[in-house]
């Protein structure tokens, strides 16, 4: 049935469907779902539609999806990564950044943050600058580069040193919970920081260091 074998998600107005069954069953499910949308009066852009079978690659919005036997491999499009890198370099060379340019940048960077969750705090710092009051801005539609230079530099380091992080494998075993739970615990003070890694109920690794700057 559609309820048990098919799943739907939605990114703004671009819904992806995950279908299970034979080719004829999947086609029938698509027909029923799309037919229901048309009956409700939704306008459809069939020219943007894309369909992929197992072991094929599908490009959707800002990422490419490879459907494997035991999971799904997701990779951010090279164009998005390149544009984000170029934006960062351009921003860091100026004293002020247009609000419109930062909004476009954040839209692209959010695509990467969907896979690299460690980006989210830095994007939060960028959004905080966008919400700053007029007395902290060079002009109404601009922000100071110095307000966002720290998160921009961190994002640049990730792009330079962690290129393989732009892809992520979502395994069926992990979705079903057939693995040991992994926990990362962190803490910090004014003079030091530390963290440790727990796999299952066992601490595997730890690290600590003094804050020097």
């Amino acid at each position: 049935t559609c309820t048990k074998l098919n799943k739907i998600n939605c990114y703004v107005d671009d819904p992806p469907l995950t279908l299970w069954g034979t080719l004829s069953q999947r086609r029938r499910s698509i027909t029923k779902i799309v037919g229901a949308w048309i009956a409700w009066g939704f306008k459809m852009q069939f020219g943007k539609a894309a369909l992929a079978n197992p072991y094929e690659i599908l490009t959707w919005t800002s990422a490419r999806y490879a459907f494997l036997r035991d999971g799904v491999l997701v990779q951010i499009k090279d164009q998005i990564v390149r544009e984000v890198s170029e934006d960062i370099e351009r921003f860091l060379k100026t004293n002020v950044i247009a609000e419109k340019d930062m909004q476009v940048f954040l839209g692209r960077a959010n695509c990467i943050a969907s896979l690299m969750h460690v980006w989210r705090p830095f994007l939060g710092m960028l959004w905080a600058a966008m919400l700053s009051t007029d007395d902290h801005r060079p002009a109404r539609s601009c922000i100071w580069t110095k307000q966002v230079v720290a998160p921009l530099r961190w994002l640049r380091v990730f792009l330079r040193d962690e290129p393989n992080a732009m892809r992520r494998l979502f395994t069926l075993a992990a979705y079903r919970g057939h693995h040991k739970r992994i926990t990362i615990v962190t803490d910090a003070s004014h003079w030091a920081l530390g963290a440790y890694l727990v796999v299952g109920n066992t601490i595997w690794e730890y690290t600590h260091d003094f804050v020097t700057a």
Side-chain angles (χ1 to χ4, degrees), residues 43-171:
K43 295 182 178 180
M44 309 296 295
Q45 293 288 341
F46 289 105
K48 296 174 60 179
L51 178 65
N53 293 310
Y55 307 108
E56 293 182 352
I57 296 176
L58 172 68
T59 299
W60 178 75
T61 61
S62 59
R64 302 175 74 238
Y65 300 78
F67 300 92
L68 311 176
R69 179 179 181 83
D70 299 320
V72 179
L73 180 64
V74 184
Q75 180 174 355
I76 299 297
K77 290 169 59 175
D78 292 339
Q79 178 184 354
I80 297 292
V81 177
R82 182 173 62 254
E83 290 173 345
V84 168
S85 298
E86 292 173 352
D87 286 341
I88 291 174
E89 297 302 327
R90 178 165 54 88
F91 291 160
L92 291 175
K93 292 178 181 179
T94 63
N95 292 326
V96 297
I97 302 172
E99 188 175 84
K100 183 178 180 180
D101 291 344
M102 180 57 72
Q103 289 175 341
V104 173
F105 170 79
L106 285 169
R108 294 168 178 157
N110 278 330
C111 299
I112 298 177
S114 64
L115 291 185
M116 293 183 64
H117 295 172
V118 293
W119 275 43
R120 294 178 180 179
F122 303 111
L123 298 190
M125 296 170 68
L126 297 175
W127 278 114
M130 293 284 286
L131 297 174
S132 60
T133 57
D134 290 346
D135 57 324
H136 291 90
R137 293 169 173 260
R140 182 179 295 272
S141 59
C142 299
I143 60 173
W144 291 110
T145 302
K146 63 182 179 182
Q147 292 177 268
V148 295
V149 66
L152 288 178
R153 286 176 176 172
W154 273 108
L155 297 181
R156 181 171 63 178
V157 170
F158 277 110
L159 290 171
R160 182 188 65 203
D161 297 345
E162 299 293 338
N164 292 330
M166 298 302 149
R167 64 177 63 94
R168 184 175 178 184
L169 176 63
F170 296 88
T171 64

Side-chain angles (χ1 to χ4, degrees), residues 1-9 15-34 37 50-55 58 67-68 72:
T1 63
C2 286
T3 303
K4 294 182 179 180
L5 298 181
N6 304 324
K7 300 294 182 182
I8 185 170
N9 198 353
L17 292 168
T18 305
L19 308 169
W20 179 265
T22 64
L23 179 59
S24 60
Q25 289 173 330
R26 298 197 304 272
R27 287 179 173 176
R28 179 177 176 82
S29 295
I30 293 175
T31 302
K32 291 165 66 177
I33 294 170
V34 174
W37 288 342
L51 178 65
N53 293 310
Y55 307 108
L58 172 68
F67 300 92
L68 311 176
V72 179

Side-chain angles (χ1 to χ4, degrees), residues 182-198:
I182 297 176
T183 305
I184 300 175
V185 182
T186 63
D187 199 4
S189 65
H190 295 297
W191 56 85
L193 51 83
Y196 61 91
L197 172 68
V198 182

